[in-house]
Amino acid sequence: MALHFVTDDATSALPGDTVELTGTEAHHASAVRRVRVDEAVTLGDGRGVWLTGLVTAATPRQVDVRITARDEHPAPSPRFVLVQALAKGDRDELAVQAATELGVDAIVPWQASRSVSRWDAKAEKGLARWRTIVREAAKQAHRAWIPEVEQVARIADLVGLSGSARVLVLEPSASARLTEVAAEASDGRDVVLVVGPEGGIAPDELSALEGAGARLVRLGDTVLRTSTAGAAAISVLSAAHGRW
């Protein structure tokens, strides 16, 4: 499979045009992935445009790609949205990376009441870090659409989602299995998966979500870490909705 790179210049490029990769993307292409002249590669803008081309020049500062074909992929519908509680160490980052590779379409960082990690004043730094992880994971997975990382949410924000989206809360004590719920007919609304932090979602938060119309579901008879639960759930949804 051809190597894939992301650049905003892909948006308007047409067959016959030359797209220049510069900066970190050029360095990654030439010094890390070691692309060579006449090698076939693909380019995207992360918003559906997908280009195929041939490398015509490759240096650490600039890689030129002559475009031979252009496709445009529609945005996924319904979207799979992962609400990922902030977690200690790199567990939330691992969750975000894996979910991106497996097909999530948007990610919402959640400052849950039991989250050990607290972004507070460093929220912008945290968002920038997650967005970098998502971009690189999407590029690695050859995804035409790079998931959006939205602003940090509180429980009130999640409660408000139930009116416009189908909210599924991963809770080990739930009676309904995600495999059963995921197979139900889709009504076209986004599917929002809520994953709690270490120690689970607090009872008052579960009650607030249920009261707003969210549905509690479990993955199975075991309890997964916060770093793997979201990825597992996205896999189930992808299979149930025919993406896999």
Side-chain angles (χ1 to χ4, degrees):
M1 180 177 291
L3 297 177
H4 182 65
F5 304 98
V6 177
T7 173
D8 288 337
D9 291 340
T11 303
S12 58
L14 299 171
D17 293 344
T18 294
V19 174
E20 299 175 355
L21 299 179
T22 57
T24 57
E25 199 72 354
H27 175 78
H28 180 72
S30 64
V32 179
R33 303 310 297 270
R34 298 186 179 278
V35 297
R36 296 292 182 261
V37 172
D38 292 331
E39 182 175 351
V41 298
T42 58
L43 306 177
D45 64 353
R47 297 180 297 278
V49 171
W50 192 268
L51 307 174
T52 303
L54 293 173
V55 175
T56 58
T59 70
R61 293 188 176 182
Q62 182 172 317
V63 173
D64 295 341
V65 180
R66 179 172 56 80
I67 306 306
T68 58
R70 175 188 172 101
D71 291 305
E72 295 187 29
H73 298 254
S77 180
R79 296 190 311 159
F80 299 158
V81 181
L82 173 64
V83 174
Q84 175 63 51
L86 302 183
K88 64 182 179 181
D90 61 353
R91 289 180 181 175
D92 50 14
E93 295 181 356
L94 291 172
V96 166
Q97 181 184 52
T100 300
E101 293 177 6
L102 292 167
V104 77
D105 301 307
I107 295 171
V108 180
W110 176 28
Q111 187 73 72
S113 63
R114 289 181 174 175
S115 289
V116 175
S117 175
R118 315 298 296 184
W119 278 8
D120 299 322
K122 58 180 181 180
E124 289 306 315
K125 181 179 179 180
L127 287 170
R129 171 65 178 164
W130 279 29
R131 286 168 180 154
T132 297
I133 292 170
V134 165
R135 177 186 172 90
E136 293 307 309
K139 186 167 64 174
Q140 173 68 33
H142 289 212
R143 295 191 58 182
W145 285 85
I146 295 177
E148 179 181 359
V149 178
E150 301 178 7
Q151 294 296 316
V152 183
R154 306 283 177 168
I155 188 62
D157 301 312
L158 303 190
V159 167
L161 290 174
S162 294
S164 59
R166 188 182 181 202
V167 181
L168 305 176
V169 182
L170 297 187
E171 167 55 41
S173 65
S175 58
R177 291 178 180 268
L178 178 60
T179 49
E180 300 166 347
V181 174
E184 295 175 357
S186 171
D187 58 7
R189 293 183 298 166
D190 289 348
V191 181
V192 177
L193 286 167
V194 181
V195 178
E198 309 93 326
I201 301 173
D204 61 321
E205 292 175 325
L206 284 175
S207 296
L209 290 166
E210 274 196 290
R215 188 166 181 181
L216 306 189
V217 296
R218 61 190 172 97
L219 283 166
D221 297 328
T222 59
V223 178
L224 301 184
R225 291 178 181 269
T226 188
S227 56
T228 55
I234 291 294
S235 298
V236 172
L237 287 178
S238 293
H241 284 254
R243 293 195 185 184
W244 286 11

